[in-house]
Amino acid sequence: MTLSRREFLVGCSAAIAALAGSRVTNLVFANPADTTARDILVVVFLRGGCDGLNLVAPTGDRNYADARPVVRVPNSGSGAGISINNAIAPVDFRLHPRAASLKELYDSRNLAIVHACGLTNDTRSHFDAMDYMEAGLNDDKNSNGWLVRHLNSISASGIMPAVSALGSVPKSLRGSSQALSINDVNNFRLQGNSTTYTNQQQEALRAMYAAAGSPIHQVGLSTLDAINTVNSKIARDSQNRPLPYTPEAGAVYPTQYGTSLGNALRIVAQLIKMDVGLQVATVDYGGWDTHGDQNRFFGNLVEGLALAMHAFYNDMNRYASRLTVAVVSEFGRRLKENQSAGTDHGHGNVMFVMGGYVNGGKMYGSWPGLATEQLDNRVDLAITTDYRAVLAEILSQRLANPNVAEVFPRFSVPAQPLDIVRATNGQPNPPARPMQPAPAPGNSRIFLPLVRR
Amino acid sequence: MTLRLPRVVSDIPEAPALQATPPVEIIALNRMAYGPRPGDVERVQAMGLTAYVDEQLNPSANPADDSTCTERLNAARLRITYTRSDGTRVDEMRPLRTITENWNLEQLYAIRQQNGNEHARPIEEVRAATWIRAIYSKWQLREVLVEFWHNHFNVDSQRDLGSGARISTTWPLYDAIMRRHALGNFRAFLEDVAQSIAMLIYLDNATSRDGPANENYARELFELHGMGASNYLNDLYDRWRDVPGATATPPAPVGYIDQDVYEAARAFTGWTLEMGQTIVSNQRLPDTGKFAYVERWHDNAQKRVLATEFDSNRPAMEDGRRVFDLIAAHPGTARFICEKLCRRLVSDTPPQALVERAAAAWLAAKDAPDQIKQVVRLILLSPEFAATWGAKVKRPFDMMAAFLRATSADVTPNSNLFSAVAAMGYTHFTWAPPTGLPEAGSYWLSTAFMLRRWNTLLGLFGNNSGGYATFALQGQIPAGVTSSRQIVEFWVNRLLGRPAEATTLNRLLDFMRQNQPADAPPTGTAADITSRINNLVALIGMSPEFQQK
């Protein structure tokens, strides 16, 4: 039978109420059998190979200054880096001077830094490295994504378990029929020119796209489902129009640099608060391939990253106890700068983990040093922590995944845990800065008042 | 009532399911052209595939032979608005002068001296011209291949907007390189691209000098322009002599590693542009945008690329040219590029036997001026080309062009059209990473992009049509076509060139007849019938069948 839009809305609300059971006021994990509490994981991918040596710079290391007469973070004078505590080596480490917002997150223990971290495969190709990393494998870049295997291994279900806040779905989520992309929540509907015809067209599309099982058909159906979900869950005003999204706690997403990242994180925030059962979300932030004139671009990128992460974390303050954010990039950059005042493709890099149960305010990993014989291939920062060690810990500690080996086959989780995150025990970390009172809960309430029978 | 439950988790298969194969002229017009215009199917059917392929492989250089397109290009006006520094407004419907008047380097480079709002104008003019050619040109295959090569040798045309604007102001010259070599010789193509303003700035070789060289261009030359990531063996070998075949006589390494990238980067040091740089204190390059080779910046010591020795102190540019010779002659390059061509023209998962035959032809013709033409001909006349259907998703540009062609729309490209396809993921000439827009469907098939496809087609007939296309659909319906069923069948045939799936057909018919008999003319006011036909045609464009090729 075909459901009309109205029938669907009614059905949907009943389903949500049933699936959520007694936890209607809590985050909805729509699998009725699954009452496990899990963090929502947001993965931020810095595309292009972020220069971790300038994002969290070993300014106290003589080799760093020698290799980078131009492209470096100074440790004194104007534009000096921001000192941080609890470094991993007796070396002065500094955040890039434009990363003040990250320092605030770090000092309030919501942000942890892992250095000399990354993909141990020897490739220096962006596209290979991203493929390997998103596959979560060192030896097969064409496998399905690691987030897909995570969703499968916990038998994730629910109306909207995985979302890319971009137009496309990244490779880490590719291969799952559950992965949606939504880059504009408030306009996520069919926009025709006559309500009657548009509704008929929507029904016709459902029948057409249900008629076969090709990837085109599957995506068409997912699109129609997502339209229904978004429009049944979005907060509306008294005239039933979708309300514009208002960030909480005075959070301001960046408007000058990092706007694309800010917009994407804002969409993730909006969807989380709509209680659509989001479990993993991915966002991208590109432009890090700084082969030439790096100083002109890098600071702007860093500021955008820092402001967007800070805004998102404040906006999500009510959810801090069940939110983990991981920031990765495909590789770091060469220690020695080139003659274009840029840096070429390197190896080891920095990684961030942010969340309410992150053991933040601290650097993790072990520092291999920057003397020539300590470098990978004698030119690049060596890797002492596989990025999967960090992700695996997040999956097992925060996302209640008992089968991390299924997600990262052929990878041995280190016997000694990094302890970057802790289980939900005791209080989460304090907010990064004093919060304004939370607004009326209109944005976060479960959908029910919309049902008109 | 039935609850719609969440679908069971299932992995999407990599390769789309193959559909029943339509007649070869439908395949040809969808994959070596931007979809059929009215009459095209009959024409190709009458002349046969071989004659059509040969016609398309030999486009006339005379604009008069493509008069509709030439007239459209000459008549096109693209708006430009901004405020000058003195506060006065510019608001013009301006012709595509850089295209129709064939502006040269000097003229284009001088745009840099104008108001910054003029600096992106040449990109917009190339975009508009590209749409006009895709929709109106007779030489469809050339347009398809120009698009292919633009993505193969991808440059983000806006990369240096606001910081020199050399790429953006001279964008028509980069487009001209794609057109000049689209059916030509790959080795010659490589060198023209390497010396172009666009590539020299985009991949930073213009600033690469001895000690240490900038590796960006050299790396992508191997990985994206030439041999491909599948021949990058850095995870297997650290030293050039360990690569299988490296120590044979003559050297024949099966792939490349980082050592080859480092050495090739050294080979290209000194390949730059005249941008007013200081060479030594009293010696400066002029700022003309012309290609320049600066010996002083070149690393002259001996090198080894793909296991082949380069002596020290060779004549100007010989090192770089030898790198091109080696890459262009490598069997890995032949396979990589032929696989890409097959992926574009046949299937996202092209038959390996076809790729191998194309690669053999590629190598055999490596010194021929029409090397690419020979290989494309082999692919288009292969049994695999005619036997494969539905294994590709139309990218947004194809999808829109095909819709506008099939409906005989009157199209005057504008920025709304450019942003419509950008919102579907097709950032025309502004794809930031050097990979070029993805070819495979996995990128284009997402819920956000699918919704944009649907809404763009719906929007064409509404109040926010974007102003780039007007339609006269009813006037195109032949006299004998009167019933709802006939109207649906007529438009299905126009857009798909073949019958739709039963479900699709029934749904379209239900929409058109609105509970009235299918074999009677549609009922309602004249305005309502017009609106219904418009919405019917949009709905055919939104169907799964229309997204395939």
Side-chain angles (χ1 to χ4, degrees):
Chain A
M1 76 173 264
T2 312
L3 290 179
S4 72
R5 181 176 154 72
R6 189 180 155 277
E7 285 169 323
F8 176 83
L9 285 179
V10 173
C12 199
S13 68
I16 289 158
L19 294 170
S22 58
R23 300 190 301 123
V24 280
T25 55
N26 211 327
L27 192 65
V28 176
F29 294 124
N31 180 353
D34 182 6
T35 53
T36 315
R38 293 198 167 87
D39 269 16
I40 302 158
L41 174 63
V42 180
V43 180
V44 179
F45 207 117
L46 309 180
R47 308 255 173 204
C50 169
D51 184 13
L53 286 171
N54 270 12
L55 185 52
V56 182
T59 52
D61 189 315
R62 178 67 201 274
N63 297 298
Y64 171 74
D66 285 352
R68 297 189 167 199
V70 179
V71 188
R72 71 158 185 264
V73 173
N75 54 6
S76 63
S78 79
I82 305 166
S83 285
I84 48 173
N85 300 323
N86 303 322
I88 43 172
V91 175
D92 181 26
F93 276 91
R94 288 168 186 255
L95 281 168
H96 190 278
R98 305 274 292 277
S101 304
L102 293 181
K103 160 86 170 162
E104 203 170 283
L105 290 161
Y106 186 83
D107 287 347
S108 58
R109 305 203 308 277
N110 289 285
L111 182 77
I113 297 171
V114 195
H115 220 319
C117 179
L119 171 78
T120 56
N121 182 300
D122 226 13
T123 184
R124 259 74 168 172
S125 150
H126 295 291
F127 317 106
D128 268 3
M130 288 192 260
D131 286 355
Y132 284 120
M133 219 175 207
E134 294 188 80
L137 301 169
N138 252 5
D139 50 5
D140 180 4
K141 60 183 179 179
N142 299 314
S143 155
N144 62 358
W146 71 274
L147 287 171
V148 176
R149 292 196 300 277
H150 162 65
L151 293 169
N152 289 352
S153 70
I154 60 164
S155 302
S157 63
I159 27 182
M160 213 174 258
V163 169
S164 155
L166 302 166
S168 66
V169 174
K171 290 196 170 154
S172 57
L173 276 175
R174 217 172 271 173
S176 166
S177 60
Q178 293 182 306
L180 309 176
S181 66
I182 294 178
N183 56 4
D184 181 354
V185 179
N186 282 52
N187 291 301
F188 205 86
R189 62 181 187 278
L190 217 51
Q191 293 169 314
N193 32 68
S194 128
T195 312
T196 314
Y197 287 162
T198 306
N199 288 345
Q200 290 181 3
Q201 282 163 324
Q202 190 159 335
E203 281 184 48
L205 287 174
R206 184 170 286 283
M208 291 178 191
Y209 279 87
S214 82
I216 294 175
H217 287 86
Q218 289 201 30
V219 168
L221 275 189
S222 297
T223 308
L224 293 160
D225 288 350
I227 289 172
N228 284 334
T229 305
V230 166
N231 289 287
S232 65
K233 306 277 287 180
I234 197 164
R236 289 173 189 271
D237 67 13
S238 55
Q239 264 105 56
N240 209 27
R241 292 172 304 206
L243 279 168
Y245 177 70
T246 311
E248 294 174 37
V252 179
Y253 287 92
T255 52
Q256 188 175 7
Y257 304 113
T259 49
S260 65
L261 175 64
N263 288 341
L265 288 172
R266 205 181 138 102
I267 285 164
V268 173
Q270 185 176 10
L271 287 171
I272 290 172
K273 294 176 192 176
M274 280 162 60
D275 284 343
V276 291
L278 194 63
Q279 304 200 29
V280 298
T282 58
V283 300
D284 276 5
Y285 184 26
W288 299 89
D289 194 19
T290 47
H291 285 275
D293 206 359
Q294 177 167 326
N295 291 344
R296 190 148 60 87
F297 305 104
F298 191 75
N300 298 343
L301 287 162
V302 170
E303 182 178 307
L305 173 68
L307 290 178
M309 284 179 63
H310 193 271
F312 179 65
Y313 202 68
N314 275 356
D315 187 7
M316 294 307 299
N317 70 83
R318 290 186 295 117
Y319 291 77
S321 64
R322 44 182 198 246
L323 177 72
T324 303
V325 180
V327 183
V328 298
S329 186
E330 69 264 30
F331 46 59
R333 304 191 77 84
R334 191 80 38 88
L335 172 62
K336 191 172 176 183
E337 69 185 40
N338 62 31
Q339 288 293 302
S340 310
T343 50
D344 292 308
H345 301 183
H347 197 53
N349 206 355
V350 75
M351 191 172 162
F352 293 128
V353 183
M354 178 171 78
Y357 285 96
V358 167
N359 298 318
K362 195 176 161 204
M363 279 179 79
Y364 291 84
S366 74
W367 186 243
L370 295 177
T372 301
E373 64 278 8
Q374 296 169 322
L375 297 173
D376 185 76
N377 278 344
R378 301 171 62 84
V379 286
D380 293 325
L381 176 62
I383 291 174
T384 53
T385 305
D386 191 302
Y387 72 105
R388 291 171 296 183
V390 181
L391 298 178
E393 196 168 300
I394 294 171
L395 290 185
S396 57
Q397 288 286 313
R398 299 301 313 159
L399 276 74
N401 187 321
N403 288 313
V404 172
E406 250 176 57
V407 182
F408 298 122
R410 302 186 292 288
F411 170 66
S412 312
V413 178
Q416 183 66 39
L418 293 158
D419 278 328
I420 290 179
V421 290
R422 59 186 185 275
T424 307
N425 243 330
Q427 286 299 305
N429 300 322
R433 62 167 60 151
M435 295 294 167
Q436 296 174 4
N443 278 344
S444 60
R445 226 172 342 173
I446 186 94
F447 163 76
L448 276 179
L450 274 180
V451 189
R452 284 162 307 168
R453 283 165 201 273
Chain B
M1 62 161 279
T2 313
L3 276 183
R4 191 179 166 77
L5 293 172
R7 267 192 306 288
V8 179
V9 182
S10 72
D11 286 358
I12 296 175
E14 269 303 306
L18 299 187
Q19 310 289 310
T21 314
V24 72
E25 52 274 11
I26 300 297
I27 295 174
L29 286 162
N30 275 285
R31 293 213 299 260
M32 55 180 278
Y34 289 105
R37 292 191 72 86
D40 280 356
V41 174
E42 295 75 7
R43 179 170 178 271
V44 177
Q45 198 171 27
M47 71 197 288
L49 180 67
T50 307
Y52 179 62
V53 167
D54 283 330
E55 172 198 85
Q56 290 290 309
L57 283 170
N58 295 286
S60 153
N62 183 358
D65 292 340
D66 199 9
S67 54
T68 308
C69 180
T70 306
E71 283 160 23
R72 289 269 173 181
L73 284 170
N74 289 331
R77 298 291 181 272
L78 190 60
R79 189 167 192 164
I80 181 162
T81 60
Y82 61 90
T83 306
R84 293 192 190 89
S85 49
D86 65 7
T88 56
R89 286 286 292 165
V90 173
D91 186 350
E92 298 170 26
M93 290 300 288
R94 192 189 289 172
L96 311 180
R97 286 193 195 116
T98 65
I99 311 289
T100 57
E101 298 172 6
N102 253 319
W103 282 23
N104 62 25
L105 171 61
E106 205 178 328
Q107 290 169 295
L108 292 167
Y109 209 65
I111 298 172
R112 298 172 61 241
Q113 309 309 320
Q114 299 182 28
N115 184 292
N117 292 288
E118 296 282 354
H119 293 177
R121 173 72 187 185
I123 305 172
E124 304 260 301
E125 293 194 0
V126 177
R127 265 193 209 125
T130 303
W131 276 105
I132 290 171
R133 290 174 176 133
I135 294 164
Y136 294 106
S137 175
K138 243 169 99 169
W139 310 117
Q140 289 279 294
L141 177 58
R142 177 170 63 188
E143 293 309 310
V144 166
L145 292 174
V146 166
E147 186 196 12
F148 173 85
W149 290 116
H150 259 295
N151 283 303
H152 184 75
F153 292 115
N154 184 67
V155 167
D156 175 358
S157 62
Q158 295 183 356
R159 174 58 60 89
D160 71 340
L161 259 186
S163 58
R166 291 178 173 87
I167 301 177
S168 62
T169 52
T170 63
W171 192 243
L173 301 179
Y174 197 61
D175 187 58
I177 293 174
M178 301 301 123
R179 294 180 175 276
R180 189 179 320 137
H181 294 286
L183 290 161
N185 177 275
F186 184 70
R187 166 65 186 78
F189 207 161
L190 277 179
E191 189 159 334
D192 270 5
V193 168
Q195 297 186 4
S196 69
I197 295 176
M199 191 58 79
L200 277 165
I201 293 178
Y202 176 59
L203 293 184
D204 298 306
N205 208 77
T207 58
S208 184
R209 301 172 187 191
D210 182 11
N214 190 310
E215 289 164 26
N216 203 9
Y217 171 69
R219 182 173 293 280
E220 307 310 0
L221 171 67
F222 279 101
E223 181 172 341
L224 299 174
H225 302 171
M227 292 171 65
S230 58
N231 292 302
Y232 176 50
L233 308 176
N234 211 56
D235 53 339
L236 302 177
Y237 312 106
D238 285 336
R239 299 177 309 172
W240 67 268
R241 67 185 75 81
D242 297 339
V243 177
T247 52
T249 317
V254 296
Y256 72 97
I257 60 175
D258 279 351
Q259 289 189 344
D260 296 298
V261 174
Y262 302 153
E263 296 284 87
R266 294 173 57 220
F268 289 107
T269 47
W271 289 49
T272 186
L273 295 169
E274 294 182 351
M275 301 188 291
Q277 313 96 308
T278 302
I279 300 176
V280 285
S281 60
N282 58 351
Q283 198 189 343
R284 270 175 97 84
L285 287 172
D287 191 2
T288 64
K290 285 189 186 131
F291 174 76
Y293 173 74
V294 179
E295 183 70 37
R296 195 182 179 85
W297 294 338
H298 184 63
D299 177 347
N300 259 331
Q302 63 271 28
K303 306 171 182 74
R304 187 183 299 273
V305 179
L306 293 174
T308 304
E309 281 189 67
F310 292 18
D311 265 342
S312 53
N313 301 316
R314 298 304 302 159
M317 298 169 63
E318 187 184 285
D319 286 350
R321 289 188 169 133
R322 286 193 74 189
V323 175
F324 292 141
D325 290 342
L326 290 168
I327 290 178
H330 198 281
T333 302
R335 269 193 303 275
F336 173 60
I337 296 185
C338 289
E339 185 164 5
K340 277 186 85 171
L341 280 166
C342 292
R343 195 173 294 126
R344 177 66 181 83
L345 295 168
V346 181
S347 160
D348 280 359
T349 50
Q352 272 311 301
L354 174 60
V355 173
E356 291 302 327
R357 295 202 311 277
W362 176 276
L363 286 175
K366 80 179 173 59
D367 300 317
D370 63 347
Q371 177 195 18
I372 298 168
K373 184 195 285 191
Q374 292 186 34
V375 171
V376 169
R377 187 172 194 275
L378 180 148
I379 296 169
L380 295 176
L381 295 179
S382 70
E384 289 92 338
F385 177 74
T388 310
W389 179 253
K392 288 194 69 62
V393 180
K394 284 184 189 135
R395 295 197 295 194
F397 185 90
D398 310 55
M399 193 279 287
M400 286 300 287
F403 187 83
L404 296 167
R405 284 168 64 83
T407 52
S408 275
D410 184 359
V411 182
T412 46
N414 66 16
S415 60
N416 292 327
L417 175 57
F418 309 155
S419 26
V421 288
M424 300 175 210
Y426 195 94
T427 48
H428 203 175
F429 304 139
T430 55
W431 180 259
T435 46
L437 289 158
E439 183 61 54
S442 51
Y443 175 79
W444 306 101
L445 288 177
S446 78
T447 53
F449 288 159
M450 187 63 87
L451 181 58
R452 291 286 188 167
R453 286 182 184 225
W454 294 343
N455 278 337
T456 302
L457 294 179
L458 278 180
L460 284 173
F461 302 99
N463 295 328
N464 293 312
S465 67
Y468 51 82
T470 54
F471 299 85
L473 300 182
Q474 257 171 309
Q476 298 176 50
I477 300 175
V481 172
T482 52
S483 71
S484 290
R485 188 191 305 280
Q486 288 169 324
I487 291 171
V488 168
E489 284 171 354
F490 172 78
W491 285 111
V492 164
N493 191 49
R494 258 293 186 81
L495 271 87
L496 303 180
R498 62 191 197 279
E501 303 291 325
T503 311
T504 299
L505 200 60
N506 287 334
R507 288 304 175 140
L508 294 168
L509 187 53
D510 285 350
F511 181 79
M512 192 61 220
R513 68 190 179 90
Q514 295 286 320
N515 294 317
Q516 299 301 309
D519 293 307
T523 55
T525 64
D528 186 34
I529 291 172
T530 303
S531 158
R532 221 145 76 218
I533 291 173
N534 289 344
N535 275 291
L536 168 78
V537 171
L539 189 54
I540 300 171
M542 295 156 76
S543 70
E545 287 90 333
F546 191 71
Q547 316 308 314
Q548 301 170 328
K549 67 179 183 184

